[in-house]
């Protein structure tokens, strides 16, 4: 954490993955340490992982990377912030929040910048912007993507094209 933090601009937020039992290191132990050193966010795979961290006393923001439709009550109860990657999920989450009188619930928008697994495409931006602007239940607090080959310099051209797509989507959402 400290290694990467010193390479970033001072106010840059960092999110650390702690899914799958902290990749074997212990999700609570890892998250408690990250919380103590001032990490901005942690991310878990599913809502139950986040709920366990909350029950153990973790108070820092927790993002859920795979928010399943049946876990919305857990998200709301434990203040777990879901990644939203499709209109179907956006609509279902909006309806669930509305039915409970929830407003401004934090969400994170995933952009498909070229990996073609999950996320909103650049073509989705006009519709997404319209839906989010009318939405009182949910409040986007970040936008992100997955760079499929960023660790392979042979794929630098592909990574640069993904960054371009992501940047255009993020700017339009701003």
């Amino acid at each position: 954490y400290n290694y990467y933090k010193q390479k970033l601009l001072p106010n840059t937020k960092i999110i650390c993955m702690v899914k799958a039992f902290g990749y074997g290191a212990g999700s609570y132990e890892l998250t408690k340490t990250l919380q103590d050193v001032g990490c901005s966010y942690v991310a878990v795979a599913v809502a139950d992982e986040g709920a366990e961290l909350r029950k153990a006393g973790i108070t820092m923001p927790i993002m859920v990377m795979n928010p399943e439709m049946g876990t919305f009550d857990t998200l709301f109860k434990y203040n777990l912030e879901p990644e939203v990657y499709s209109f179907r999920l956006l609509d279902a989450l909006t309806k669930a929040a509305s039915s409970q009188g929830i407003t401004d619930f934090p969400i994170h928008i995933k952009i498909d910048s070229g990996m073609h697994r999950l996320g909103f495409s650049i073509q989705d931006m006009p519709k997404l912007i319209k839906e989010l602007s009318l939405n009182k239940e949910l409040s986007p607090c970040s936008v992100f993507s997955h760079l499929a080959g960023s660790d392979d310099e042979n794929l630098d051209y592909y990574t640069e094209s993904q960054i371009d797509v992501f940047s255009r989507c993020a700017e339009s959402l701003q």
Side-chain angles (χ1 to χ4, degrees), residues 1-139:
Y1 171 82
N2 288 329
Y3 173 80
Y4 287 106
K5 182 176 175 72
Q6 56 97 17
K7 293 186 172 293
L8 300 170
L9 294 173
N11 292 327
T12 303
K13 292 184 178 184
I14 298 176
I15 184 167
C16 295
M17 298 299 297
V18 296
K19 65 181 186 172
F21 195 59
Y23 297 102
S27 53
Y28 170 75
E29 295 80 3
L30 188 55
T31 303
K32 176 74 168 98
T33 300
L34 290 166
Q35 180 173 274
D36 290 347
V37 297
C39 182
S40 305
Y41 268 88
V42 292
V44 296
V46 295
D48 287 346
E49 289 177 314
E52 289 304 312
L53 290 172
R54 288 283 190 247
K55 290 175 191 174
I58 298 299
T59 58
M60 69 186 302
I62 300 173
M63 181 192 293
V64 177
M65 303 303 286
N66 187 20
E68 297 168 344
M69 298 284 185
T71 64
F72 293 164
D73 287 342
T74 301
L75 295 174
F76 300 145
K77 179 178 180 180
Y78 293 101
N79 195 31
L80 305 172
E81 303 177 15
E83 141 183 341
V84 177
Y85 51 81
S86 71
F87 288 110
R88 180 175 172 258
L89 179 59
L90 178 65
D91 183 55
L93 191 58
T94 299
K95 287 177 181 169
S98 179
S99 73
Q100 294 189 33
I102 294 171
T103 58
D104 294 319
F105 193 79
I107 62 169
H108 303 270
I109 303 296
K110 183 167 188 178
I111 302 298
D112 176 3
S113 61
M115 193 168 172
H116 306 302
R117 197 165 65 182
L118 294 172
F120 294 98
S121 70
I122 196 162
Q123 293 81 11
D124 292 331
M125 289 303 104
K127 180 179 177 185
L128 180 60
I129 291 165
K130 181 179 180 185
E131 290 196 19
L132 290 173
S133 69
L134 299 172
N135 193 314
K136 294 178 284 194
E137 292 80 11
L138 308 177
S139 179

